[in-house]
Amino acid sequence: MNMTEQMKAVGLYRYLPANDEQSLQDLQVEKPVPAGRDLLVRVKAISVNPVDVKVRAPKARVEETPKILGWDVAGIVEQTGSETSLFKAGDEVYYAGSLIRQGGNSEFHLVDERIVGRKPANLDFAAAAALPLTAITAWEGLFERLAISKNKEDNQGKKLLIIGAAGGVGSIALQLAREVGLTVIGTASRPETEKWVRDHGADYVISHYEDFRTQLEKEGISEVDYILCLHSTEKHWKAMEAVIKPLGHICSIVETSEPLDLTLLKNKSVTFAWEFMFTRSKYETEDMIEQHRLLDELADWIEQGRIESTLTETLSPINAANLRKAHLQVEENRMIGKLVLENFEG
């Protein structure tokens, strides 16, 4: 009888606080086999995001088979499914994966090739793993939901406000916005985050704890064309309405705990959109391959020196103890840039 091949993974059976040793556990699980459009990727580095913390958060459900988290991976294609056409064994890749499949906190990981990009040649695996989830979110938010042009000439004089600009998504959105010629205003609340935001592309920095309109007027700005909200949508809702230009666009990535009064936007004919980077993979939309194209184009920008990785801390090896530590850090909600783990033991 053939024994199935095993691999190391970090997973959970119960949803517990990150400081509980049972919350994330070192496991041996069956190594998956690729079929169809799937790639089997040898995982070299992973990143931890707020979505990991949200999925792991305490709740009553108990899993019969271990749930594996992790939605940022950089690695090497080990095998390909029979219907793949974009990659071959040995290719170095990076991607964010899918919420409805097992995550990437394992030695090997299955992922649909349509949401995978080629790893930027000038980045190591750790720096590459810091990018996919935040970069896809920022890219889709700016260029698809807000419909901002990538042509600098189209953006002359146009202003973008990024709320929560020092976090993972903000750190990429700042760079993308700078590269396409927008005037960028970022919010930050501490000296170290203000410096980070300026260093990554903001022309102006204001506090998200003070009135937006008053602060912008001090800078000679009366209104903005676009707003990308990356923190506390309902808290900033009225402040956004006060500074958005008539016919402007607002995009948020943060669900609300209370209803939003969309009527506030009516008189200005403002467009509001949600951005959720897992939509394409969750529903297998007809344009799912756009995330592959996006990540490849981002790799071009990175290789040209236009965008840099937002990696700020690396832990090694990839194991339960280090992942619990990483979850605790992300939960503090004071992260600047991205936290990455690399290398499985042995």
Side-chain angles (χ1 to χ4, degrees):
M1 189 170 111
N2 288 334
M3 293 289 290
T4 57
E5 202 172 341
Q6 299 285 295
M7 67 175 181
K8 292 177 181 177
V10 178
L12 62 83
Y13 290 94
R14 295 163 58 214
Y15 295 83
L16 300 164
N19 58 6
D20 188 318
E21 287 194 3
Q22 297 300 306
S23 63
L24 294 169
Q25 303 176 40
D26 291 309
L27 304 167
Q28 288 281 334
V29 299
E30 189 174 329
K31 179 181 172 183
V33 177
R37 298 204 69 171
D38 279 345
L39 308 173
L40 180 69
V41 175
R42 179 185 291 273
V43 176
K44 303 291 284 184
I46 58 173
S47 180
V48 178
N49 293 283
V51 65
D52 296 71
V53 169
K54 188 182 295 184
V55 173
R56 194 221 72 248
K59 55 182 81 68
R61 191 164 80 241
V62 176
E63 302 289 351
E64 288 185 19
T65 57
K67 170 85 173 168
I68 299 171
L69 311 180
W71 293 281
D72 259 335
V73 173
I76 302 170
V77 176
E78 182 90 354
Q79 284 178 259
T80 60
S82 59
E83 296 169 31
T84 56
S85 60
L86 303 174
F87 297 96
K88 63 185 185 307
D91 286 346
E92 297 184 349
V93 294
Y94 72 145
Y95 59 89
S98 167
L99 269 184
I100 59 172
R101 305 184 71 174
Q102 291 284 41
N105 296 349
S106 54
E107 282 187 282
F108 296 91
H109 184 233
L110 283 184
V111 61
D112 190 302
E113 67 171 358
R114 289 170 289 180
I115 56 172
V116 175
R118 63 173 187 85
K119 182 180 79 66
N122 59 334
L123 296 185
D124 62 18
F125 287 104
L131 284 164
L133 187 145
T134 54
I136 294 169
T137 303
W139 189 290
E140 289 183 348
L142 294 177
F143 302 136
E144 297 183 24
R145 308 293 163 257
L146 292 175
I148 293 169
S149 171
K150 291 184 209 164
N151 186 333
K152 282 189 175 183
E153 285 69 38
D154 294 338
N155 295 324
Q156 292 306 305
K158 292 188 177 178
K159 299 174 182 68
L160 166 70
L161 171 63
I162 302 175
I163 300 170
V169 176
S171 302
I172 300 293
L174 287 165
Q175 298 181 68
L176 294 174
R178 175 195 64 203
E179 285 301 307
V180 298
L182 290 163
T183 298
V184 187
I185 305 116
T187 77
S189 60
R190 294 177 278 148
E192 60 269 35
T193 53
E194 180 176 338
K195 181 180 187 305
W196 176 271
V197 168
R198 286 191 190 279
D199 288 348
H200 283 77
D203 300 288
Y204 304 94
V205 182
I206 63 174
S207 170
H208 33 248
Y209 294 122
E210 297 172 33
D211 183 70
F212 290 175
R213 191 180 191 102
T214 304
Q215 293 179 86
L216 288 175
E217 285 175 348
K218 284 180 184 173
E219 302 288 359
I221 299 169
S222 59
E223 57 193 8
V224 297
D225 302 84
Y226 308 103
I227 298 175
L228 181 62
C229 180
L230 308 177
H231 199 275
S232 306
T233 306
E234 69 267 25
K235 176 183 168 186
H236 299 300
W237 189 245
K238 289 183 179 177
M240 288 192 275
E241 185 277 329
V243 299
I244 192 69
K245 191 174 185 176
L247 309 181
H249 293 71
I250 298 172
C251 173
S252 177
I253 70 167
V254 188
E255 66 267 40
T256 64
S257 56
E258 54 193 65
L260 298 175
D261 181 8
L262 281 172
T263 306
L264 272 183
L265 308 181
K266 180 179 182 294
N267 285 351
K268 289 185 176 179
S269 296
V270 169
T271 299
F272 176 73
W274 292 111
E275 161 58 20
F276 185 53
M277 65 130 291
F278 290 115
T279 298
R280 282 174 161 141
S281 55
K282 180 175 181 178
Y283 297 101
E284 295 198 349
T285 60
E286 291 176 5
D287 68 348
M288 187 169 157
I289 199 168
E290 286 303 316
Q291 287 193 345
H292 160 70
R293 294 177 180 139
L294 183 169
L295 287 169
D296 275 4
E297 188 172 353
L298 179 72
D300 291 339
W301 286 31
I302 290 165
E303 290 165 356
Q304 293 159 12
R306 300 173 66 187
I307 303 294
E308 62 184 38
S309 175
T310 53
L311 169 65
T312 49
E313 185 176 351
T314 306
L315 299 175
S316 183
I318 302 169
N319 61 21
N322 275 335
L323 268 164
R324 290 194 298 269
K325 180 180 175 183
H327 274 237
L328 287 167
Q329 281 186 238
V330 172
E331 275 181 337
E332 288 176 2
N333 208 21
R334 292 171 67 85
M335 282 290 300
I336 301 176
K338 291 296 296 293
L339 173 59
V340 167
L341 286 80
E342 60 179 349
N343 304 322
F344 280 88
E345 291 175 299

